[in-house]
Amino acid sequence: MAYIDYYKILGVDKSATQDDIKKAYRKLARKHHPDLNPGDKEAEKKFKELNEANEVLSNPENRSKYDKYGENWKHGEEYEKAQQQQQRQYQQQSSYNGGYSGADFGGGEDFSDFFQDMFGGAGGGFGKSSRGRASGKFKGQDITAELNLNLRDAATTHPQTFEINGKKVRITIPAGVYDGQQIKLKGHGNPGVNGGPNGDLYITFNIPADPDFERIGDDLKTKVTIDLYTAVLGGEVTVHTLNGSVNLKVKPETQTGMTVRLKGKGFPVYKKEGEHGDLFVTYEVKLPTNLTEKQKELFEQLKNS
């Protein structure tokens, strides 16, 4: 029968500490737990392999024997006889608190032949054994969801209700959330296993481009069109903001592409009530069309003056 590399199964080095082994086992056992992968035979097989590897490497005496004989395990019979009684006593006194089972996998017959021959099946079952794995509790799987908002909705604090896995969830969305931002709702994920806590719900906000405003951090950019006469002589233009309209004074001889800043008229700062970015307004000068002969004559006079 083939030698089994338990370190490789857990993805740790031979120099790994007991804490390293414990963490690696917990992470992988949760990932491949049959309760979280119903009907997945590969996951069940991997879970059994992880349990066997942990049974050996988390037990200092088992690990010592395994490290000592390794691939030459067939020659360790004398050592095994000398240690067997001590190993039984150790198992009766010890208790593992990892807790990654919710399914009954029977007794020692679920271990590999390699394990049985090297350790004499001393590990016992992983189901309803005295080691207590069946009663383990752990957190349910997390859920991810996406929520679409337009720019104006993202600029106001407001409640919103949506449905996840048949359940209605009501949240208050703070003003200032940004595209791609993710928030966590604790306990709104999948149910825990064996009475463990529920997983969490992670919501990602999608905020598409707005036709009127470009958002850059907490600032906004917009464009406004002015006629030639206002650009040359000065005047006023109405500018739309997220919170209504304002009249903006245009200086004489304003050029296309010139930008002015309206302080505090930008986007709300996330979770900082009353704080806003700025609004940057860029002028676009529209040239007159369909000129009369008289108007053309006046432009000729300006050109030649």
Side-chain angles (χ1 to χ4, degrees), residues 140-174:
Q141 285 184 315
D142 296 333
I143 297 176
T144 59
E146 294 186 351
L147 187 59
N148 295 320
L149 297 174
N150 62 46
L151 189 69
R152 287 164 175 77
D153 285 339
T156 59
T157 298
H158 67 282
Q160 189 149 344
T161 302
F162 55 98
E163 192 170 294
I164 295 289
N165 286 353
K167 289 185 177 181
K168 286 188 175 181
V169 178
R170 187 177 186 275
I171 63 173
T172 298
I173 301 174

Side-chain angles (χ1 to χ4, degrees), residues 9-10 22-38 40-48 50-51 99-101 138-142 193:
I9 288 174
L10 289 180
K22 182 178 179 181
K23 289 179 180 178
Y25 171 71
R26 286 189 172 187
K27 179 180 178 180
L28 292 171
R30 185 174 188 273
K31 177 180 178 181
H32 296 285
H33 195 288
D35 287 354
L36 300 179
N37 300 275
D40 188 335
K41 295 298 182 183
E42 284 300 316
E44 182 176 330
K45 178 182 177 183
K46 181 66 175 178
F47 183 70
K48 289 179 180 180
L50 291 167
N51 277 333
Y100 279 97
S101 179
F138 61 95
K139 182 181 175 183
Q141 285 184 315
D142 296 333
V193 176

Side-chain angles (χ1 to χ4, degrees), residues 199-248:
D200 301 323
L201 170 61
Y202 290 87
I203 300 175
T204 301
F205 295 106
N206 290 329
I207 306 173
D210 186 86
D212 299 320
F213 300 99
E214 179 186 356
R215 182 180 178 184
I216 303 175
D218 297 320
D219 295 329
L220 293 174
K221 293 175 65 177
T222 190
K223 295 178 180 179
V224 63
T225 301
I226 57 176
D227 58 45
L228 177 63
Y229 312 107
T230 302
V232 173
L233 302 174
E236 283 192 352
V237 64
T238 299
V239 177
H240 299 291
T241 74
L242 285 177
N243 300 311
S245 300
V246 296
N247 290 326
L248 181 62

Side-chain angles (χ1 to χ4, degrees), residues 174-213:
V177 295
Y178 54 84
D179 182 45
Q181 183 175 353
Q182 188 178 77
I183 63 172
K184 180 178 79 171
L185 298 182
K186 187 176 178 63
H188 285 272
N190 286 331
V193 176
N194 293 331
N198 291 346
D200 301 323
L201 170 61
Y202 290 87
I203 300 175
T204 301
F205 295 106
N206 290 329
I207 306 173
D210 186 86
D212 299 320
F213 300 99

